[in-house]
Amino acid sequence: MPSTIVEASSQHPASPSCPASGGRAVQAAGTSVPVRCRSRPLVGGLVVPWISYQHGGHSAFGTIDAVRAQQALTERLCQVCGEELEERFCLAVRPMDVRVGFASEPALHPECLAYSKLRCPMLNGSAATYRTSSSLARHPAGRPCDDPGCPCLEVAPDQGRSARSGRPADDFDAWMIDSAHYRIKTASDRPNVLLGVDLAVPVLRVRTIRRNPRPELDRLRALISALGL
């Protein structure tokens, strides 16, 4: 799932959901799973996002299949269920995404984002920092692969993951946008390079998904308040 996907783990409990969608759900391992996702494989009772990297029939949570991610962007597919987006779609947006003007990960159906917010440690707040090692190192298929024709040999941690390694988790907001304003942003010097979903469009609704605690900032605010400033 948003590896906000998103990064998912059966070791993290659920918490209150984010934007509601009214979509029906089925039960799987005690968790409400959107009907759209009922054909997706489950690992530890959790839905495996459509854009998650897979190898030999195994799925690695917290990884993104670059080919599927690009396909989701160009064909307007949900990153979790893989189905086509409809009248409204959602994005899991970080402050850095706002600064650069695009969300690098594909969009989601409202109900798929709500499910992700419940189950993904990066979105439900149960993970305080980004992982320090690639999830491929613990891939259930085993590493390294001895098949020279397997695309997994080309998979390596992206620069963004390396930069985030061990750092505090980002804040996330849920942006709901009308499908009429779905646009892909490309690199200015390389128009064939897809950067992500353009954020410089009308937004129907913004809701908080998570806020990472910032004790130092809270102490500074308390000091300023005590000084009457």
mmCIF file of all heavy atoms in Angstrom, residues 147-186:
data_model
loop_
_atom_site.group_PDB
_atom_site.id
_atom_site.type_symbol
_atom_site.label_atom_id
_atom_site.label_comp_id
_atom_site.label_asym_id
_atom_site.label_seq_id
_atom_site.Cartn_x
_atom_site.Cartn_y
_atom_site.Cartn_z
ATOM 1 N N ASP A 147 18.531 -16.665 -10.490
ATOM 2 C CA ASP A 147 17.989 -16.713 -11.847
ATOM 3 C C ASP A 147 18.461 -15.472 -12.603
ATOM 4 O O ASP A 147 17.996 -14.362 -12.330
ATOM 5 C CB ASP A 147 16.465 -16.761 -11.797
ATOM 6 C CG ASP A 147 15.837 -16.791 -13.188
ATOM 7 O OD1 ASP A 147 16.593 -16.785 -14.177
ATOM 8 O OD2 ASP A 147 14.593 -16.818 -13.276
ATOM 9 N N PRO A 148 19.395 -15.597 -13.560
ATOM 10 C CA PRO A 148 19.915 -14.416 -14.268
ATOM 11 C C PRO A 148 18.868 -13.691 -15.094
ATOM 12 O O PRO A 148 19.054 -12.525 -15.455
ATOM 13 C CB PRO A 148 21.017 -15.000 -15.166
ATOM 14 C CG PRO A 148 20.620 -16.439 -15.345
ATOM 15 C CD PRO A 148 19.995 -16.848 -14.045
ATOM 16 N N GLY A 149 17.745 -14.346 -15.398
ATOM 17 C CA GLY A 149 16.697 -13.696 -16.182
ATOM 18 C C GLY A 149 15.634 -13.045 -15.335
ATOM 19 O O GLY A 149 14.683 -12.464 -15.863
ATOM 20 N N CYS A 150 15.781 -13.114 -14.025
ATOM 21 C CA CYS A 150 14.760 -12.565 -13.130
ATOM 22 C C CYS A 150 14.956 -11.060 -12.954
ATOM 23 O O CYS A 150 16.076 -10.601 -12.704
ATOM 24 C CB CYS A 150 14.824 -13.257 -11.775
ATOM 25 S SG CYS A 150 13.571 -12.651 -10.616
ATOM 26 N N PRO A 151 13.885 -10.269 -13.081
ATOM 27 C CA PRO A 151 14.011 -8.809 -12.927
ATOM 28 C C PRO A 151 14.375 -8.384 -11.517
ATOM 29 O O PRO A 151 14.747 -7.241 -11.292
ATOM 30 C CB PRO A 151 12.625 -8.290 -13.329
ATOM 31 C CG PRO A 151 11.703 -9.439 -13.075
ATOM 32 C CD PRO A 151 12.506 -10.663 -13.423
ATOM 33 N N CYS A 152 14.272 -9.299 -10.529
ATOM 34 C CA CYS A 152 14.586 -8.902 -9.157
ATOM 35 C C CYS A 152 16.042 -8.493 -9.020
ATOM 36 O O CYS A 152 16.405 -7.743 -8.112
ATOM 37 C CB CYS A 152 14.274 -10.025 -8.172
ATOM 38 S SG CYS A 152 15.520 -11.334 -8.090
ATOM 39 N N LEU A 153 16.913 -8.968 -9.925
ATOM 40 C CA LEU A 153 18.320 -8.617 -9.852
ATOM 41 C C LEU A 153 18.534 -7.130 -10.107
ATOM 42 O O LEU A 153 19.570 -6.578 -9.735
ATOM 43 C CB LEU A 153 19.120 -9.442 -10.871
ATOM 44 C CG LEU A 153 19.111 -10.962 -10.648
ATOM 45 C CD1 LEU A 153 19.809 -11.661 -11.797
ATOM 46 C CD2 LEU A 153 19.780 -11.313 -9.330
ATOM 47 N N GLU A 154 17.563 -6.490 -10.742
ATOM 48 C CA GLU A 154 17.684 -5.074 -11.053
ATOM 49 C C GLU A 154 17.061 -4.204 -9.971
ATOM 50 O O GLU A 154 17.158 -2.983 -10.018
ATOM 51 C CB GLU A 154 16.994 -4.773 -12.388
ATOM 52 C CG GLU A 154 17.559 -5.583 -13.546
ATOM 53 C CD GLU A 154 16.755 -5.374 -14.820
ATOM 54 O OE1 GLU A 154 15.813 -4.556 -14.784
ATOM 55 O OE2 GLU A 154 17.060 -6.016 -15.824
ATOM 56 N N VAL A 155 16.413 -4.827 -8.995
ATOM 57 C CA VAL A 155 15.734 -4.063 -7.953
ATOM 58 C C VAL A 155 16.724 -3.652 -6.883
ATOM 59 O O VAL A 155 17.466 -4.470 -6.362
ATOM 60 C CB VAL A 155 14.590 -4.887 -7.327
ATOM 61 C CG1 VAL A 155 13.949 -4.105 -6.191
ATOM 62 C CG2 VAL A 155 13.563 -5.239 -8.379
ATOM 63 N N ALA A 156 16.747 -2.369 -6.581
ATOM 64 C CA ALA A 156 17.616 -1.853 -5.525
ATOM 65 C C ALA A 156 16.875 -0.737 -4.816
ATOM 66 O O ALA A 156 15.977 -0.118 -5.385
ATOM 67 C CB ALA A 156 18.928 -1.319 -6.123
ATOM 68 N N PRO A 157 17.217 -0.450 -3.543
ATOM 69 C CA PRO A 157 16.559 0.634 -2.839
ATOM 70 C C PRO A 157 16.694 1.939 -3.605
ATOM 71 O O PRO A 157 17.769 2.288 -4.069
ATOM 72 C CB PRO A 157 17.313 0.694 -1.501
ATOM 73 C CG PRO A 157 17.884 -0.681 -1.338
ATOM 74 C CD PRO A 157 18.219 -1.141 -2.723
ATOM 75 N N ASP A 158 15.590 2.662 -3.763
ATOM 76 C CA ASP A 158 15.654 3.927 -4.491
ATOM 77 C C ASP A 158 16.300 4.990 -3.614
ATOM 78 O O ASP A 158 16.471 4.834 -2.415
ATOM 79 C CB ASP A 158 14.258 4.376 -4.929
ATOM 80 C CG ASP A 158 13.309 4.523 -3.760
ATOM 81 O OD1 ASP A 158 13.505 5.457 -2.965
ATOM 82 O OD2 ASP A 158 12.376 3.697 -3.635
ATOM 83 N N GLN A 159 16.663 6.125 -4.234
ATOM 84 C CA GLN A 159 17.339 7.182 -3.503
ATOM 85 C C GLN A 159 16.457 7.738 -2.398
ATOM 86 O O GLN A 159 16.941 8.102 -1.330
ATOM 87 C CB GLN A 159 17.753 8.291 -4.469
ATOM 88 C CG GLN A 159 18.824 7.872 -5.452
ATOM 89 C CD GLN A 159 19.210 8.995 -6.379
ATOM 90 O OE1 GLN A 159 18.568 10.050 -6.404
ATOM 91 N NE2 GLN A 159 20.248 8.788 -7.163
ATOM 92 N N GLY A 160 15.142 7.808 -2.666
ATOM 93 C CA GLY A 160 14.234 8.316 -1.660
ATOM 94 C C GLY A 160 14.232 7.440 -0.425
ATOM 95 O O GLY A 160 14.261 7.934 0.709
ATOM 96 N N ARG A 161 14.223 6.103 -0.615
ATOM 97 C CA ARG A 161 14.228 5.202 0.530
ATOM 98 C C ARG A 161 15.519 5.334 1.315
ATOM 99 O O ARG A 161 15.532 5.341 2.543
ATOM 100 C CB ARG A 161 14.037 3.747 0.087
ATOM 101 C CG ARG A 161 13.646 2.820 1.240
ATOM 102 C CD ARG A 161 14.188 1.428 1.061
ATOM 103 N NE ARG A 161 15.637 1.399 1.157
ATOM 104 C CZ ARG A 161 16.305 1.410 2.311
ATOM 105 N NH1 ARG A 161 15.656 1.470 3.448
ATOM 106 N NH2 ARG A 161 17.623 1.383 2.323
ATOM 107 N N SER A 162 16.639 5.455 0.614
ATOM 108 C CA SER A 162 17.925 5.593 1.282
ATOM 109 C C SER A 162 17.971 6.882 2.101
ATOM 110 O O SER A 162 18.505 6.896 3.211
ATOM 111 C CB SER A 162 19.053 5.588 0.243
ATOM 112 O OG SER A 162 19.069 4.360 -0.465
ATOM 113 N N ALA A 163 17.405 7.955 1.551
ATOM 114 C CA ALA A 163 17.409 9.233 2.267
ATOM 115 C C ALA A 163 16.518 9.181 3.504
ATOM 116 O O ALA A 163 16.796 9.846 4.499
ATOM 117 C CB ALA A 163 16.949 10.350 1.330
ATOM 118 N N ARG A 164 15.444 8.385 3.445
ATOM 119 C CA ARG A 164 14.515 8.310 4.579
ATOM 120 C C ARG A 164 14.956 7.324 5.642
ATOM 121 O O ARG A 164 14.411 7.325 6.748
ATOM 122 C CB ARG A 164 13.129 7.885 4.069
ATOM 123 C CG ARG A 164 12.447 8.886 3.160
ATOM 124 C CD ARG A 164 11.007 8.488 2.923
ATOM 125 N NE ARG A 164 10.878 7.186 2.308
ATOM 126 C CZ ARG A 164 10.804 6.989 0.999
ATOM 127 N NH1 ARG A 164 10.883 8.012 0.170
ATOM 128 N NH2 ARG A 164 10.666 5.771 0.495
ATOM 129 N N SER A 165 15.914 6.468 5.337
ATOM 130 C CA SER A 165 16.310 5.387 6.230
ATOM 131 C C SER A 165 16.564 5.878 7.654
ATOM 132 O O SER A 165 17.437 6.708 7.897
ATOM 133 C CB SER A 165 17.563 4.698 5.688
ATOM 134 O OG SER A 165 17.984 3.680 6.554
ATOM 135 N N GLY A 166 15.770 5.361 8.597
ATOM 136 C CA GLY A 166 15.950 5.682 10.007
ATOM 137 C C GLY A 166 15.416 7.029 10.432
ATOM 138 O O GLY A 166 15.426 7.354 11.625
ATOM 139 N N ARG A 167 14.918 7.819 9.505
ATOM 140 C CA ARG A 167 14.430 9.154 9.839
ATOM 141 C C ARG A 167 13.007 9.084 10.391
ATOM 142 O O ARG A 167 12.280 8.122 10.148
ATOM 143 C CB ARG A 167 14.461 10.066 8.607
ATOM 144 C CG ARG A 167 15.866 10.337 8.074
ATOM 145 C CD ARG A 167 15.816 11.204 6.833
ATOM 146 N NE ARG A 167 15.242 12.509 7.116
ATOM 147 C CZ ARG A 167 15.936 13.548 7.566
ATOM 148 N NH1 ARG A 167 17.228 13.435 7.789
ATOM 149 N NH2 ARG A 167 15.356 14.706 7.797
ATOM 150 N N PRO A 168 12.599 10.128 11.138
ATOM 151 C CA PRO A 168 11.228 10.138 11.664
ATOM 152 C C PRO A 168 10.207 10.040 10.537
ATOM 153 O O PRO A 168 10.419 10.546 9.440
ATOM 154 C CB PRO A 168 11.139 11.500 12.366
ATOM 155 C CG PRO A 168 12.554 11.835 12.728
ATOM 156 C CD PRO A 168 13.385 11.291 11.605
ATOM 157 N N ALA A 169 9.115 9.369 10.808
ATOM 158 C CA ALA A 169 8.055 9.219 9.810
ATOM 159 C C ALA A 169 7.499 10.583 9.420
ATOM 160 O O ALA A 169 7.493 11.521 10.214
ATOM 161 C CB ALA A 169 6.945 8.338 10.362
ATOM 162 N N ASP A 170 7.046 10.676 8.198
ATOM 163 C CA ASP A 170 6.475 11.921 7.703
ATOM 164 C C ASP A 170 5.053 12.108 8.199
ATOM 165 O O ASP A 170 4.368 11.164 8.592
ATOM 166 C CB ASP A 170 6.455 11.915 6.171
ATOM 167 C CG ASP A 170 7.830 12.071 5.566
ATOM 168 O OD1 ASP A 170 8.467 13.104 5.807
ATOM 169 O OD2 ASP A 170 8.267 11.153 4.857
ATOM 170 N N ASP A 171 4.609 13.365 8.146
ATOM 171 C CA ASP A 171 3.181 13.648 8.301
ATOM 172 C C ASP A 171 2.500 13.253 7.000
ATOM 173 O O ASP A 171 3.094 13.336 5.924
ATOM 174 C CB ASP A 171 2.941 15.140 8.559
ATOM 175 C CG ASP A 171 3.508 15.604 9.889
ATOM 176 O OD1 ASP A 171 3.681 14.752 10.789
ATOM 177 O OD2 ASP A 171 3.776 16.810 10.026
ATOM 178 N N PHE A 172 1.238 12.840 7.094
ATOM 179 C CA PHE A 172 0.464 12.495 5.904
ATOM 180 C C PHE A 172 -0.927 13.114 5.990
ATOM 181 O O PHE A 172 -1.545 13.127 7.054
ATOM 182 C CB PHE A 172 0.300 10.973 5.774
ATOM 183 C CG PHE A 172 1.511 10.255 5.258
ATOM 184 C CD1 PHE A 172 2.459 9.751 6.135
ATOM 185 C CD2 PHE A 172 1.699 10.072 3.894
ATOM 186 C CE1 PHE A 172 3.581 9.075 5.666
ATOM 187 C CE2 PHE A 172 2.819 9.397 3.417
ATOM 188 C CZ PHE A 172 3.757 8.896 4.308
ATOM 189 N N ASP A 173 -1.386 13.621 4.855
ATOM 190 C CA ASP A 173 -2.766 14.077 4.710
ATOM 191 C C ASP A 173 -3.429 13.312 3.575
ATOM 192 O O ASP A 173 -2.751 12.854 2.650
ATOM 193 C CB ASP A 173 -2.827 15.581 4.382
ATOM 194 C CG ASP A 173 -2.474 16.448 5.570
ATOM 195 O OD1 ASP A 173 -2.802 16.060 6.708
ATOM 196 O OD2 ASP A 173 -1.853 17.508 5.364
ATOM 197 N N ALA A 174 -4.734 13.179 3.659
ATOM 198 C CA ALA A 174 -5.507 12.557 2.578
ATOM 199 C C ALA A 174 -6.134 13.666 1.742
ATOM 200 O O ALA A 174 -6.895 14.482 2.261
ATOM 201 C CB ALA A 174 -6.591 11.658 3.155
ATOM 202 N N TRP A 175 -5.783 13.712 0.468
ATOM 203 C CA TRP A 175 -6.366 14.675 -0.459
ATOM 204 C C TRP A 175 -7.371 13.949 -1.347
ATOM 205 O O TRP A 175 -7.034 12.923 -1.958
ATOM 206 C CB TRP A 175 -5.290 15.290 -1.352
ATOM 207 C CG TRP A 175 -4.379 16.263 -0.672
ATOM 208 C CD1 TRP A 175 -4.030 16.291 0.637
ATOM 209 C CD2 TRP A 175 -3.666 17.344 -1.309
ATOM 210 N NE1 TRP A 175 -3.146 17.316 0.881
ATOM 211 C CE2 TRP A 175 -2.904 17.979 -0.300
ATOM 212 C CE3 TRP A 175 -3.588 17.819 -2.610
ATOM 213 C CZ2 TRP A 175 -2.081 19.069 -0.567
ATOM 214 C CZ3 TRP A 175 -2.769 18.895 -2.886
ATOM 215 C CH2 TRP A 175 -2.039 19.527 -1.874
ATOM 216 N N MET A 176 -8.578 14.484 -1.414
ATOM 217 C CA MET A 176 -9.582 13.931 -2.321
ATOM 218 C C MET A 176 -9.735 14.882 -3.504
ATOM 219 O O MET A 176 -9.925 16.089 -3.327
ATOM 220 C CB MET A 176 -10.926 13.733 -1.622
ATOM 221 C CG MET A 176 -12.007 13.192 -2.536
ATOM 222 S SD MET A 176 -13.570 12.851 -1.664
ATOM 223 C CE MET A 176 -13.150 11.313 -0.853
ATOM 224 N N ILE A 177 -9.646 14.329 -4.710
ATOM 225 C CA ILE A 177 -9.657 15.132 -5.934
ATOM 226 C C ILE A 177 -10.627 14.529 -6.931
ATOM 227 O O ILE A 177 -10.780 13.309 -7.010
ATOM 228 C CB ILE A 177 -8.231 15.186 -6.544
ATOM 229 C CG1 ILE A 177 -7.254 15.813 -5.537
ATOM 230 C CG2 ILE A 177 -8.219 15.966 -7.859
ATOM 231 C CD1 ILE A 177 -5.799 15.733 -5.967
ATOM 232 N N ASP A 178 -11.302 15.389 -7.692
ATOM 233 C CA ASP A 178 -12.207 14.925 -8.736
ATOM 234 C C ASP A 178 -11.396 14.355 -9.893
ATOM 235 O O ASP A 178 -10.343 14.884 -10.255
ATOM 236 C CB ASP A 178 -13.078 16.084 -9.230
ATOM 237 C CG ASP A 178 -14.200 15.617 -10.135
ATOM 238 O OD1 ASP A 178 -13.921 15.328 -11.314
ATOM 239 O OD2 ASP A 178 -15.340 15.532 -9.669
ATOM 240 N N SER A 179 -11.884 13.274 -10.476
ATOM 241 C CA SER A 179 -11.148 12.616 -11.561
ATOM 242 C C SER A 179 -10.932 13.531 -12.766
ATOM 243 O O SER A 179 -10.006 13.320 -13.555
ATOM 244 C CB SER A 179 -11.884 11.344 -12.003
ATOM 245 O OG SER A 179 -13.178 11.659 -12.487
ATOM 246 N N ALA A 180 -11.778 14.553 -12.902
ATOM 247 C CA ALA A 180 -11.610 15.492 -14.012
ATOM 248 C C ALA A 180 -10.290 16.261 -13.901
ATOM 249 O O ALA A 180 -9.799 16.821 -14.891
ATOM 250 C CB ALA A 180 -12.776 16.482 -14.044
ATOM 251 N N HIS A 181 -9.716 16.269 -12.701
ATOM 252 C CA HIS A 181 -8.473 17.014 -12.473
ATOM 253 C C HIS A 181 -7.275 16.086 -12.268
ATOM 254 O O HIS A 181 -6.246 16.514 -11.736
ATOM 255 C CB HIS A 181 -8.633 17.935 -11.268
ATOM 256 C CG HIS A 181 -9.749 18.924 -11.407
ATOM 257 N ND1 HIS A 181 -9.764 19.899 -12.387
ATOM 258 C CD2 HIS A 181 -10.906 19.072 -10.718
ATOM 259 C CE1 HIS A 181 -10.877 20.614 -12.288
ATOM 260 N NE2 HIS A 181 -11.580 20.129 -11.290
ATOM 261 N N TYR A 182 -7.417 14.845 -12.702
ATOM 262 C CA TYR A 182 -6.291 13.911 -12.609
ATOM 263 C C TYR A 182 -5.277 14.267 -13.679
ATOM 264 O O TYR A 182 -5.556 14.215 -14.869
ATOM 265 C CB TYR A 182 -6.783 12.475 -12.809
ATOM 266 C CG TYR A 182 -5.716 11.418 -12.630
ATOM 267 C CD1 TYR A 182 -5.573 10.742 -11.419
ATOM 268 C CD2 TYR A 182 -4.853 11.084 -13.673
ATOM 269 C CE1 TYR A 182 -4.599 9.765 -11.257
ATOM 270 C CE2 TYR A 182 -3.875 10.118 -13.524
ATOM 271 C CZ TYR A 182 -3.749 9.458 -12.313
ATOM 272 O OH TYR A 182 -2.782 8.504 -12.160
ATOM 273 N N ARG A 183 -4.068 14.619 -13.240
ATOM 274 C CA ARG A 183 -3.004 14.965 -14.175
ATOM 275 C C ARG A 183 -1.692 14.354 -13.697
ATOM 276 O O ARG A 183 -1.435 14.283 -12.497
ATOM 277 C CB ARG A 183 -2.834 16.491 -14.276
ATOM 278 C CG ARG A 183 -4.012 17.230 -14.898
ATOM 279 C CD ARG A 183 -3.553 18.560 -15.492
ATOM 280 N NE ARG A 183 -2.889 19.411 -14.525
ATOM 281 C CZ ARG A 183 -3.443 20.494 -13.972
ATOM 282 N NH1 ARG A 183 -4.678 20.838 -14.269
ATOM 283 N NH2 ARG A 183 -2.763 21.225 -13.115
ATOM 284 N N ILE A 184 -0.875 13.950 -14.637
ATOM 285 C CA ILE A 184 0.435 13.411 -14.320
ATOM 286 C C ILE A 184 1.485 14.489 -14.563
ATOM 287 O O ILE A 184 1.481 15.143 -15.604
ATOM 288 C CB ILE A 184 0.765 12.180 -15.183
ATOM 289 C CG1 ILE A 184 -0.236 11.062 -14.901
ATOM 290 C CG2 ILE A 184 2.182 11.688 -14.892
ATOM 291 C CD1 ILE A 184 -0.255 10.572 -13.485
ATOM 292 N N LYS A 185 2.363 14.673 -13.613
ATOM 293 C CA LYS A 185 3.444 15.640 -13.765
ATOM 294 C C LYS A 185 4.678 14.925 -14.290
ATOM 295 O O LYS A 185 5.038 13.843 -13.808
ATOM 296 C CB LYS A 185 3.751 16.319 -12.429
ATOM 297 C CG LYS A 185 4.655 17.534 -12.564
ATOM 298 C CD LYS A 185 4.603 18.388 -11.321
ATOM 299 C CE LYS A 185 5.401 19.673 -11.512
ATOM 300 N NZ LYS A 185 5.294 20.573 -10.337
ATOM 301 N N THR A 186 5.327 15.514 -15.274
ATOM 302 C CA THR A 186 6.522 14.929 -15.867
ATOM 303 C C THR A 186 7.723 15.839 -15.622
ATOM 304 O O THR A 186 7.576 17.020 -15.292
ATOM 305 C CB THR A 186 6.349 14.725 -17.382
ATOM 306 O OG1 THR A 186 6.070 16.000 -17.995
ATOM 307 C CG2 THR A 186 5.185 13.777 -17.661
#
